Every structure is written in structure tokens, then in C-alpha cells.
């Protein structure tokens, strides 16, 4: 999936690291001690990673009381050790060491998401709250029409329903059962995590999170604003067009022609992907010209063949095929006889060659895309396998997600589908607008959503947003960036941010913002390298070994260098740049202007 914990960070899931009491030496440590410390930490963490990966794999592909027990035990042991090392790394803050050691210390120190302080009882309290938030979220159910619905069930209905009373009931229902009871816990969790972050030398946990990008935390915040400024005009046009189509469909009392869009009408619980309402907003005069899901089925594709097709794509640009063990050990379809975690993910069990995917692929265009996405993680993992353990990671957390999406943009082009024999002919230029519109509905709104999830948390961690204003502040951001409104007045006990998994689970979200931008930047760079002259959306770098070699050069660096250097190794560009999104969607942007003529789109 394009969003969610779907790959393992060199095996160690730093979802939550708890700091136990550490001994602080009174005298300043030496550089020789720093080197010894890093060597020992790296060796131990690498070993832990293998152990945790094996335990995690068996649990995810065979859920039982026993595998849950084994994984929990492995997690606790590994986290405990990783935490001690993270804390100890801070001791060497002022010791002069070589660049490689300095980078490893930097990575060790900020590798955590929710640090607890060394105060007695703090780590246990934080662990209890974090688990409770996760459980509250995962077990929430909503009674509807005589059925008890899980979030998955609700999302399925929301995807298809075109009845605004029903979408409102589900949208409000999920927010009534999932999150109001979380608010007090969340406020306490913020206090505890801030206490831990301050011990590590960060002003608050938001500063810690913003310190992951090889630049000062305040510079990263400014960077996200600058990137949004680049994307906002396109978002505004798309918003304006979609609003008008929704208003036409549902009438102006349900969706007025002016102001925010009603959040429940967009086919997604958080209005982060809008592709599910493509049928409502599709241009009437032209169509995409083919149906990829139908073509896959007609040609007898099964899940294994879809994964082979994705593997072939990477091979075509010069990557080695997935190893034989991948085909023996991966889980590609849902097993009939046991519970598994179906959420697609990519693994590198031994941080070397034991690559796998775990998924329940269906024969759909979505999963055709997802297979390319997941294998992108595997290609990255293998490319950095010769780096020292602490550098075996993406250049930053956005990079890892962006590689597979870059491949997905290629794999969906009609030219490539024709080469595969999935379509008989490449549709003419008239099909570009439907193609781009469908793509934009999923790729553009996520940027607006992703920015608010972490802006809200940055404000909460810094104390700028206090618990009594949690919900108001959330909606201020939703209005400012997504420009949406709730279907009705929000109740006074609402805690709407908690209705999103990544808030309940404490998974940082800026990575999805970055990944969406990198994806297009990578794609444009590859197409330039390939000498492509036509519209960007028709570019496919299938079989281009030169492009593959450049990508490999970026991936093989892992996290050994700042991400700007990794980016430059592939693209020659030294900074993240959202102009590639605007280039890609340029024809759509012109078309949207035409559709929006006479409408007031500005806020
Ligand atoms: Zn992913």
C-alpha cells in the first residue's frame, strides 16, 4: 500500500523506543570510546534485527496466540537494547569523531519515535498508553443497519456509497466510536514523550521528528511550507472542479458550489485519496480507453504472474531478479487455513538476500500497481545491503516509499501496457485527460492531508495546541489545507485527529508528504535522462539500463549520506522540488482551468 507501515526498517521497527535508566559518566568520553560504542551497538542491533524479522514474519503470516507471544517478547528485548544505545549515543554529542562515526551516532540518537524519560515508571506508563491507543483504534466497531462494522467494512461502503445520508452516518459514526475516549490518553502521551525528548536534547518530540532530515528542524518546517506553496495552485483547481461535480451530483444543499467540500463525499474516510469518486467527476466526452483490471483477468493473470511482471520491470532497467528464495518464502495470496496480516509489505529478513513480500494480491489494477510498489522496497533493500547496518535504510523515510511509486507511474502508462500485451492499442491524446484526472485524484489530495497530520502534531508537541483545542486546531488545519468541512456540527467531545490510524499509532506522517513529491521528481529525472520529449504522463523508462544504473547509484548509498546527496546521485538535483508534479499534471491543469471558467475557485 502507498501508506502504512509496509516495510521493515533494517528489521528494527522503531515504532516506539523506551529509554531505560542510563548511567551518565561524569567525565567527557573520548573518541576511542565513541568508536567502540558504535561498533558494539551496530553489531548488536544487526543481530537483533535478524531475530526480530524472523519472529515478525512468522507472526504476520500465521497469527496465533503463540506467535503473538513470541513477537511481543522479541520486540520487548530488542526495543530495550535499541533504547539504551539511543540514549548512550547522546553522551558523545561533543566528542570529535570521523564523519562516518558522527553520522552513525546521529542516526542512533534520533532513531526513535516516542522516547520515554529515565524517570522511574515513565517508560511503563508510556508503553501502556501507546498500547491502549492502538487497541482502542483497532478494535473500534460501529453498529449500522443491524450489522457490526469494522473500519474496513466502513471504508468499503464509503468507497461505493452515493447516498449522502449514508456517507455522513459512516463518517460521523467512525469518529464517534474510534477516538473520543483517546483524548486524555493522548494528552498524557504527549507529556511523557516530550519528557523523553528533552532528555535527549530536543525541545519537544515534534523537534525530534523534524530532526530526521539532515537539516535544522526549523528549516524542515519551512521546507514543507515552501513545497505546499508549489502544489497549492494545482490542489485548488482540482478542489474547485471536484466541488462543482459533487454539487451537480448531489445538489447545492448537500454540496454548495462555494466554500469547503463536504469531507464524507469523497469516497475515503479521511478524504486523503479521491480516486473512488472518479465516476462522479470523470469527463463525459472521453474515457481512458481500456480497463486494466478486466485486461489482467482476460489474459489469465494470477497473483504470481503480477509479481513476476513487477520483477521483470525492475530487471528491464538492470536490477537483478528477486532471488529464488523470494518465490519460495513470500506470501503472495491469502492462505485459506489461517489468519494473516494481509496489508502488503516488503521484507529483507537477513538484511542481505532474504527478500520477501507478504500480501494478499487480487487480480486488480490496484494490486498490479501495489506489486510494483512493494518490489521497489525490495530493490532498495538489496541495493544498500553492502552498507554497514546503521546505513541500511532509505536516504530518508520518504525515499523508501517513493521508489516503488516511481515504478508504478511507469507501469501504468499505456505504452508499457501495450508492450505487455495487456491492451491492443495505445489510446490517442484524448485519453490523457481522463488518465491524468484519475491519477491526480489519488496523488494530489494526499499532499494536503499529509501536511496537516504532522502540522497538528508539531503544534501539540510544542504546546501551541493545548488539549482543550485539539479538535478546533485540527479543523483549522483541515480548512486551511484540505479546504473541507464536516458533514455536520462536531460534538464537543470529538477527537477527530485520533480517527486516523497514524495518530493513534504514533506513526510520523511527513514521509508520505515527501514520498509523493519525490515520486514525481524521480520520474521526471528518469524521463529527462531517457531523453523523453512527449507529455510526461506517457513516459516509460522500461528497459532503460542507463536510468536503472543511476537509480542504483542513489539506492546503494542507503542512509550513509545526507538525502540531498543521494538525490543528486540519481537526478543531479540537490533539493526536493514539487515542480515535477506540476510538470506531470500540466495538461490537466490547463483543462481544469477551462472547466473552472466562471467559477470562483479562490478561498
Ligand atoms: Zn511502501
Amino acid at each position: 500500500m502507498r501508506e502504512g507501515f509496509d516495510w521493515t526498517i533494517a528489521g528494527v521497527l522503531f515504532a516506539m523506543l523506551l529509554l531505560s535508566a542510563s548511567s551518565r559518566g561524569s567525565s567527557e568520553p573520548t573518541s576511542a570510546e565513541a568508536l567502540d560504542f558504535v561498533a558494539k551497538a551496530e553489531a548488536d542491533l544487526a543481530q537483533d534485527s535478524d531475530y526480530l524479522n524472523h519472529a515478525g514474519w512468522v507472526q504476520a503470516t500465521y497469527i496465533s496466540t503463540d506467535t503473538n507471544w513470541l513477537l511481543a517478547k522479541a520486540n520487548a528485548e530488542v526495543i530495550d537494547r535499541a533504547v539504551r544505545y539511543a540514549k548512550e549515543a547522546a553522551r558523545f554529542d561533543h566528542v570529535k569523531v570521523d564523519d562516518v562515526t558522527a553520522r552513525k551516532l546521529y542516526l542512533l540518537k534520533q532513531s526513535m519515535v516516542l522516547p520515554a524519560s529515565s524517570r522511574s515508571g515513565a517508560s511503563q506508563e508510556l508503553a501502556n498508553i501507546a498500547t491502549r491507543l492502538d487497541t482502542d483504534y483497532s478494535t473500534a466497531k460501529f453498529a449500522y443497519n443491524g450489522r457490526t462494522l469494522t473500519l474496513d467494512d466502513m471504508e468499503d461502503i464509503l468507497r461505493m456509497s452515493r447516498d449522502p445520508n449514508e456517507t455522513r452516518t459512516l463518517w460521523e459514526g467512525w469518529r464517534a466510536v474510534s477516538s473520543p475516549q483517546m483524548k486524555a490518553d493522548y494528552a498524557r502521551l504527549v507529556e511523557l514523550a516530550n519528557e523523553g525528548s528533552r532528555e535527549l536534547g530536543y525541545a519537544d518530540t515534534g523537534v525530534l521528528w523534524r530532526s530526521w532530515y539532515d537539516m535544522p528542524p526549523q528549516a524542515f518546517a519551512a521546507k514543507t511550507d515552501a513545497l505546499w506553496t508549489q502544489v497549492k495552485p494545482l490542489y485548488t483547481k482540482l478542489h474547485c472542479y471536484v466541488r462543482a461535480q459533487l454539487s451537480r451530483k448531489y445538489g447545492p444543499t448537500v454540496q454548495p458550489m462555494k466554500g469547503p467540500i463536504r469531507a464524507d463525499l469523497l469516497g475515503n474516510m479521511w478524504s486523503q485519496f479521491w480516486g473512488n469518486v472518479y465516476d462522479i467527476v470523470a469527463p463525459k466526452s472521453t474515457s481512458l480507453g481500456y480497463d486494466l483490471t478486466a485486461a489482467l483477468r482476460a489474459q489469465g493473470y494470477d497473483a504470481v504472474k503480477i509479481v513476476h511482471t513487477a520483477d521483470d520491470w525492475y530487471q528491464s532497467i538492470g536490477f537483478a531478479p528477486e532471488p529464488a528464495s523470494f518465490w519460495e518464502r513470500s506470501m503472495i495470496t491469502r492462505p485459506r487455513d489461517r489468519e494473516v496480516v494481509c496489508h502488503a509489505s516488503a521484507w529483507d529478513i537477513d538484511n542481505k538476500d532474504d527478500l520477501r513480500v507478504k500480501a494478499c494480491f487480487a487480480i486488480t489494477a490496484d494490486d498490479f500497481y501495489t506489486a510494483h510498489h512493494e518490489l521497489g522496497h525490495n530493490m532498495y533493500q538489496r541495493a544498500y545491503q553492502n552498507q554497514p547496518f546503521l546505513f541500511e535504510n532509505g536516504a530518508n523515510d520518504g525515499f523508501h516509499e517513493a521508489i516503488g511509486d516511481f515504478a508504478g507511474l511507469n507501469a501504468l502508462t499505456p505504452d508499457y501496457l501495450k508492450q505487455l500485451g495487456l491492451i491492443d492499442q495505445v489510446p490517442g491524446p484524448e485519453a490523457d485527460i481522463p488518465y491524468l484526472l484519475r491519477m491526480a485524484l489519488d496523488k494530489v489530495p494526499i499532499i494536503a492531508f499529509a501536511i496537516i497530520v504532522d502540522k497538528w502534531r508539531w503544534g501539540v508537541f510544542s504546546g501551541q495546541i493545548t488539549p482543550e483545542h485539539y479538535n478546533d486546531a485540527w479543523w483549522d488545519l483541515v480548512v486551511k489545507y484540505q479546504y473541507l468541512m464536516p458533514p455536520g456540527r462536531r460534538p464537543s467531545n470529538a477527537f477527530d485527529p485520533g480517527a486516523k490510524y497514524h495518530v493513534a499509532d504514533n506513526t510520523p506522517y511527513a514521509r508520505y508528504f515527501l514520498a509523493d513529491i519525490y515520486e514525481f521528481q524521480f520520474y521526471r529525472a528518469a524521463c529527462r535522462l531517457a531523453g523523453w520529449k512527449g507529455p510526461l504522463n506517457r513516459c516509460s523508462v522500461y528497459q532503460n539500463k542507463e536510468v536503472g544504473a543511476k537509480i542504483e547509484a542513489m539506492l546503494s548509498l542507503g542512509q550513509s549520506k545526507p538525502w540531498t546527496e543521494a538525490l543528486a546521485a540519481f537526478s543531479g538535483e540537490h533539493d526536493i522540488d514539487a515542480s515535477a508534479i506540476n510538470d506531470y499534471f500540466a495538461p490537466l491543469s490547463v483543462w481544469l482551468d477551462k472547466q473552472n471558467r466562471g467559477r470562483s475557485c479562490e478561498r
Side-chain angles (χ1 to χ4, degrees):
M1 286 301 295
R2 283 160 298 182
E3 176 227 33
F5 251 150
D6 71 342
W7 58 285
T8 55
I9 305 165
V12 181
L13 284 175
F14 287 114
M16 186 184 61
L17 296 184
L18 306 172
L19 300 176
S20 50
S22 78
S23 53
R24 250 174 219 274
S26 50
S27 62
E28 191 70 6
T30 65
S31 61
E33 282 172 332
L35 282 172
D36 285 350
F37 164 74
V38 167
K40 173 142 178 44
E42 191 157 40
D44 283 351
L45 292 173
Q47 207 175 7
D48 285 351
S49 160
D50 279 9
Y51 171 44
L52 193 57
N53 281 338
H54 283 285
W57 178 267
V58 76
Q59 187 271 345
T61 57
Y62 197 143
I63 301 173
S64 74
T65 313
D66 304 303
T67 57
N68 283 342
W69 186 90
L70 289 167
L71 179 62
K73 184 170 182 324
N75 255 322
E77 290 167 12
V78 168
I79 283 171
D80 197 45
R81 181 140 68 171
V83 160
R84 266 186 290 119
Y85 283 134
K87 189 75 179 284
E88 258 187 74
R91 283 177 55 220
F92 301 96
D93 276 356
H94 304 293
V95 180
K96 233 185 142 33
V97 290
D98 63 278
D99 290 352
V100 169
T101 306
R103 185 155 183 85
K104 288 179 177 176
L105 285 167
Y106 161 77
L107 294 171
L108 270 173
K109 203 179 107 171
Q110 36 100 306
S111 60
M112 63 193 55
V113 173
L114 279 191
S117 80
S118 51
R119 182 175 54 76
S120 163
S123 62
Q124 193 60 55
E125 189 185 359
L126 183 54
N128 291 346
I129 292 177
T131 308
R132 198 157 58 225
L133 286 170
D134 203 24
T135 308
D136 281 350
Y137 189 95
S138 308
T139 56
K141 306 268 191 323
F142 179 62
Y144 178 67
N145 277 352
R147 289 174 62 198
T148 303
L149 303 182
T150 63
L151 175 59
D152 283 357
D153 300 329
M154 298 173 86
E155 287 189 80
D156 280 344
I157 302 173
L158 209 51
R159 188 173 299 149
M160 309 295 289
S161 178
R162 300 294 178 251
D163 168 3
N165 293 319
E166 183 170 67
T167 58
R168 175 176 178 170
T169 303
L170 293 170
W171 189 98
E172 291 179 340
W174 173 244
R175 282 158 182 78
V177 295
S178 64
S179 48
Q181 78 277 17
M182 288 181 195
K183 191 176 150 186
D185 268 347
Y186 195 81
R188 180 63 185 147
L189 173 133
V190 168
E191 289 173 3
L192 291 165
N194 277 341
E195 198 180 45
S197 299
R198 281 193 289 269
E199 240 176 53
L200 281 166
Y202 300 94
D204 62 68
T205 307
V207 177
L208 168 66
W209 290 13
R210 295 195 297 281
S211 76
W212 293 335
Y213 301 99
D214 300 306
M215 63 175 90
Q218 66 275 21
F220 181 68
K223 178 69 74 186
T224 57
D225 289 337
L227 290 165
W228 170 249
T229 304
Q230 282 186 288
V231 179
K232 190 182 168 191
L234 175 62
Y235 181 80
T236 304
K237 289 175 197 186
L238 184 67
H239 179 283
C240 190
Y241 170 72
V242 168
R243 179 179 61 193
Q245 298 299 102
L246 290 170
S247 187
R248 189 170 296 168
K249 162 99 181 161
Y250 293 114
T253 40
V254 172
Q255 177 58 60
M257 282 293 283
K258 288 196 162 111
I261 292 178
R262 225 179 89 167
D264 59 314
L265 299 180
L266 290 160
N268 175 276
M269 191 58 93
W270 308 274
S271 323
Q272 64 185 82
F273 303 119
W274 300 356
N276 293 327
V277 298
Y278 179 73
D279 59 313
I280 299 175
V281 306
K284 295 288 170 275
S285 51
T286 56
S287 85
L288 202 52
Y290 57 86
D291 176 345
L292 179 54
T293 296
L296 290 164
R297 290 176 184 169
Q299 305 254 340
Y301 272 68
D302 60 11
V304 174
K305 186 164 181 190
I306 285 179
V307 179
H308 267 294
T309 306
D311 194 32
D312 288 346
W313 188 85
Y314 288 98
Q315 285 182 55
S316 88
I317 62 166
F319 284 83
E322 289 277 15
S325 59
F326 171 92
W327 301 103
E328 290 154 17
R329 297 170 190 168
S330 287
M331 184 186 98
I332 288 171
T333 52
R334 182 194 284 275
R336 272 177 295 186
D337 56 348
R338 59 186 200 263
E339 291 286 342
V340 298
V341 180
C342 266
H343 189 96
S345 59
W347 299 58
D348 183 4
I349 300 283
D350 62 355
N351 299 305
K352 294 290 171 231
D353 295 310
D354 194 350
L355 303 168
R356 306 180 193 177
V357 296
K358 174 191 64 57
C360 304
F361 286 126
I363 316 309
T364 62
D366 275 356
D367 278 356
F368 180 78
Y369 180 93
T370 304
H372 289 79
H373 175 93
E374 296 305 335
L375 263 58
H377 289 306
N378 278 163
M379 298 301 139
Y380 210 155
Q381 288 159 337
R382 186 169 48 194
Y384 56 57
Q385 68 175 348
N386 294 322
Q387 290 287 346
F389 176 77
L390 285 169
F391 295 156
E392 287 186 315
N393 206 339
N396 69 37
D397 55 7
F399 273 64
H400 230 295
E401 294 301 333
I403 290 300
D405 284 334
F406 153 76
L409 284 182
N410 279 280
L412 292 181
T413 55
D415 263 8
Y416 173 67
L417 297 177
K418 170 122 190 325
Q419 279 168 299
L420 286 184
L422 279 165
I423 58 176
D424 293 333
Q425 62 188 67
V426 175
E430 72 287 350
D432 277 8
I433 292 302
Y435 183 86
L436 285 169
L437 179 60
R438 180 68 185 77
M439 198 67 97
L441 291 171
D442 279 344
K443 300 286 186 184
V444 178
I446 180 65
I447 300 177
F449 178 69
I451 203 168
I452 70 170
V453 176
D454 274 3
K455 279 220 177 241
W456 181 81
R457 286 192 287 204
W458 296 347
V460 167
F461 284 127
S462 76
Q464 208 185 344
I465 299 171
T466 54
E468 48 295 358
H469 295 115
Y470 275 177
N471 219 50
D472 296 342
W474 174 260
W475 278 101
D476 287 348
L477 289 166
V478 172
V479 170
K480 180 172 175 192
Y481 292 97
Q482 290 183 288
Y483 202 33
L484 306 177
M485 60 180 172
R489 223 183 128 71
R490 302 303 297 136
S492 60
N493 72 340
F495 179 47
D496 295 332
K500 177 68 189 168
Y501 177 72
H502 300 67
V503 172
D505 180 60
N506 293 293
T507 304
Y509 214 78
R511 63 188 60 166
Y512 303 109
F513 175 79
L514 300 176
D516 201 86
I517 294 166
Y518 287 135
E519 167 189 349
F520 288 94
Q521 201 173 355
F522 293 170
Y523 182 74
R524 184 179 64 182
C527 294
R528 279 178 178 166
L529 209 59
W532 177 256
K533 294 281 182 281
L536 207 44
N537 60 289
R538 287 189 173 248
C539 160
S540 156
V541 298
Y542 183 54
Q543 294 174 329
N544 191 316
K545 302 273 193 302
E546 192 196 349
V547 168
K550 282 278 191 186
I551 294 173
E552 175 94 30
M554 170 171 77
L555 303 190
S556 62
L557 289 173
Q559 209 176 6
S560 65
K561 299 277 191 245
W563 62 264
T564 46
E565 286 182 41
L567 178 64
F570 164 33
S571 69
E573 297 167 48
H574 289 81
D575 203 357
I576 185 169
D577 178 7
S579 69
I581 295 183
N582 291 325
D583 287 355
Y584 184 92
F585 289 112
L588 180 71
S589 186
V590 172
W591 184 83
L592 287 171
D593 280 341
K594 222 180 273 173
Q595 307 306 308
N596 288 332
R597 204 169 286 154
R599 291 176 190 146
S600 77
C601 293
E602 294 309 315
R603 304 177 187 181

